[in-house]
Amino acid sequence: MSKTKVLLTGVTGYIGGSVLTRFLARSDAASFDFRVIVRSPEKAEQLRGFGVTPIVGSHNDESVMVPAASEVDVVIATADCDDLVAAKLTLKGLKKRFEQTKKPPIFINTSGTGVLMDDAKGMYASKTIYNDEDITQIETLPPSQPHRPVDLAIVAADQEGYIKSYLILPSTIYSIARGKLFDAGISHPYSQIIPGLIKLSVHRGQAGMVGEGKNMWPNVDIHDLADLYNTLYDSIINNPSTGHGREGFYFGENGEHSLLDIGKGIGQALSELGKAKSAEPSSFTKDEVAEYFGASGLFSIPVPVSMMGSNARCRANRPKAVGWKPSKTTADMLASIKPEADAAIEAMSKK
């Protein structure tokens, strides 16, 4: 019996490493031919040891991505969700696959709930809550929203009929990732937002927030999120009615929080560790915003401050309808801050 050929991108990262770890743990893992695109020849050799076929190169290099995508039944993309070049090259390869087999390949792409962001500036909690089963509501999102250009290109390809597309939109992801790829140093075990906020809070001596921190975001544990990819894949294979294309948006969330909640959690953790002058968070100043957001310095977060002050409220109704059963809640997210603070401070001490 032939194996199902699956190409994954972003496996050295936080989400991708978790997704591949989960798929390798399946009881039927031997029925898959896993292929991954990585930049590092060293990590490529390590991945071979896990029964994975590495392709050394970049996912936005046409000579790499198009042939790789043209040879597989499934692509699971977990790298840069705003890389339209990579998305178009993936689609080009998948279209070739369709022309060869006359069967639409599966494209599971990672987007994000940043597509829902507003301009609250941390001053209020929006009353708008997006429902991933409400297609009309999702289609009110303008093309100018973050991640939207990639999402729309993929949905358009589904409408043309040469792929079946499924978009997973993770929210604020938390927890230190576990598993053999992380133990081996292949994949990065930390998220961006909470660890980033912890580091810049240590730098400023106090937890911070945009405005009054009243804006609301959903959250999801990284291991629950990896289960969503696995559950969705099984639903795609076993249930032909699984929503795809316009009906293929799947929010990754299991609870929500205000940015003030995170600020208080970080403030308490740093106060206990003697790294903050107060357990209470304060608003970022104009100078701090310029220093900390959208930059690439030691104490910065690679997202615009407008996103950190925005609302992105939603409910993961579609994932739960296909069988996803996340177990971690907002309480677990807040409890994860202290271990994240310990890890962040230890890492900072080594630099």
Side-chain angles (χ1 to χ4, degrees), residues 87-105:
K88 287 183 175 181
L89 293 177
T90 304
L91 293 172
K92 186 174 182 179
L94 291 176
K95 191 170 188 178
K96 286 188 174 185
R97 181 68 173 178
F98 172 70
E99 291 167 349
Q100 294 162 0
T101 65
K102 307 306 178 186
K103 179 181 178 181

Side-chain angles (χ1 to χ4, degrees), residues 177-187:
R178 303 182 304 272
K180 53 189 179 182
L181 297 182
F182 301 97
D183 294 340
I186 294 172
S187 303

Side-chain angles (χ1 to χ4, degrees), residues 37 56-67 83 85-86 89:
I37 294 178
V56 178
S58 169
H59 65 286
N60 53 20
D61 181 336
E62 183 166 3
S63 67
V64 173
M65 193 70 224
V66 173
D83 192 336
V85 171
L89 293 177

Side-chain angles (χ1 to χ4, degrees), residues 10 12 36-44 55-61 79-80 83:
T12 61
V36 299
I37 294 178
V38 292
R39 289 186 174 88
S40 165
E42 293 76 20
K43 290 188 175 183
I55 301 168
V56 178
S58 169
H59 65 286
N60 53 20
D61 181 336
D80 184 353
D83 192 336

